[in-house]
Amino acid sequence: AQSVAQPEDQVNVAEGNPLTVKCTYSVSGNPYLFWYVQYPNRGLQFLLKYITGDNLVKGSYGFEAEFNKSQTSFHLKKPSALVSDSALYFCAVRFNTGNQFYFGTGTSLTVIP
Amino acid sequence: DSGVTQTPKHLITATGQRVTLRCSPRSGDLSVYWYQQSLDQGLQFLIQYYNGEERAKGNILERFSAQQFPDLHSELNLSSLELGDSALYFCASSGRSRGSTDYGYTFGSGTRLTVV
């Protein structure tokens, strides 16, 4: 079955430290992978995507993610966290055979001043 | 503004009632998706329409229905409402046309439904 997992419900990191939000997927084809961010009472905002090519993709607000095919992972990273990065982060996978997205359960990131 | 418009932003209604949520997709996008976000269920896919036709169905209850109109806006109808239907309902759109290189979704800001 196609699925995406975010193993951590909550991630806390000190301001200025690097952050990682984990995502793994289970797929039987070639996935398109995405990260979205949700601020309180707002819709999901697109951060970055991996379609093909370079495994390291850079996105909005200084975020980046690395596609690792052997580990079926697509972890979100940022070298130096800001308090304003505190939000809910969703990993999503879409398969090249269809339009439907599968979302992870979300990871709440708190950056501590 | 993402380009996807959802109305109303907030809705409070009583159990047993029926409500209609509206979504206008980003200009030119042919696909509309509805998602339900609740605290205990996360983000659940409900249904997708493409150019007026139902394309995919997820965890949508029989009390819920949707449609997409010729002008591409979509409505999600929720009937016989229960307390457990209280949630944030998101609409997303994608794909200005077949073969579009736009692979992602654009989300609206959601409708917060509270059933009392």
Side-chain angles (χ1 to χ4, degrees):
Chain A
Q2 327 281 26
S3 67
V4 58
Q6 293 179 245
E8 300 159 319
D9 291 335
Q10 174 80 38
V11 170
N12 297 323
V13 63
E15 186 177 22
N17 282 4
L19 69 87
T20 299
V21 183
K22 296 179 180 178
C23 173
T24 59
Y25 63 91
S26 171
V27 64
S28 56
N30 292 319
Y32 301 150
L33 295 156
F34 299 78
W35 277 101
Y36 286 84
V37 60
Q38 184 182 24
Y39 297 100
N41 299 313
R42 303 288 295 275
L44 278 70
Q45 297 178 33
F46 170 79
L47 271 182
L48 51 78
K49 66 185 178 188
Y50 171 82
I51 304 299
T52 187
D54 193 350
N55 289 344
L56 183 65
V57 293
K58 295 185 185 296
S60 308
Y61 312 120
F63 284 93
E64 58 187 30
E66 185 168 12
F67 172 61
N68 187 317
K69 190 171 184 178
S70 62
Q71 297 185 4
T72 62
S73 68
F74 189 57
H75 301 331
L76 181 70
K77 299 182 180 184
K78 187 173 182 180
S80 178
L82 300 173
V83 172
S84 57
D85 293 330
S86 298
L88 190 56
Y89 290 81
F90 287 94
C91 179
V93 61
R94 174 183 172 183
F95 303 101
N96 59 3
T97 54
N99 278 331
Q100 188 177 336
F101 274 48
Y102 296 87
F103 283 89
T105 50
T107 298
S108 179
L109 172 68
T110 300
V111 180
I112 303 164
Chain B
D1 181 9
S2 68
V4 178
T5 304
Q6 287 188 250
T7 57
K9 292 192 183 304
H10 301 277
L11 198 50
I12 301 175
T13 190
T15 55
Q17 295 298 305
R18 172 190 169 95
V19 297
T20 297
L21 313 183
R22 182 187 169 101
C23 169
S24 294
R26 193 177 53 167
S27 178
D29 281 358
L30 300 177
S31 282
V32 169
Y33 309 79
W34 286 97
Y35 283 83
Q36 179 192 56
Q37 184 180 32
S38 56
L39 285 176
D40 57 344
Q41 294 285 331
L43 201 61
Q44 299 284 319
F45 168 68
L46 295 178
I47 198 164
Q48 177 204 352
Y49 279 83
Y50 176 85
N51 203 19
E53 295 185 1
E54 183 183 303
R55 180 61 63 93
K57 225 169 186 177
N59 300 320
I60 188 166
L61 300 173
E62 286 190 10
R63 300 183 286 108
F64 296 0
S65 65
Q67 55 185 327
Q68 186 179 27
F69 295 86
D71 66 353
L72 300 178
H73 91 271
S74 178
E75 292 181 355
L76 179 67
N77 301 297
L78 315 176
S79 61
S80 303
L81 285 167
E82 302 174 359
L83 295 178
D85 297 328
S86 296
L88 199 52
Y89 291 84
F90 285 109
C91 167
S93 72
S94 75
R96 288 186 169 88
S97 65
R98 287 188 184 277
S100 168
T101 57
D102 182 3
Y103 295 96
Y105 282 7
T106 302
F107 280 84
S109 56
T111 294
R112 181 169 295 282
L113 173 66
T114 304
V115 183
V116 297

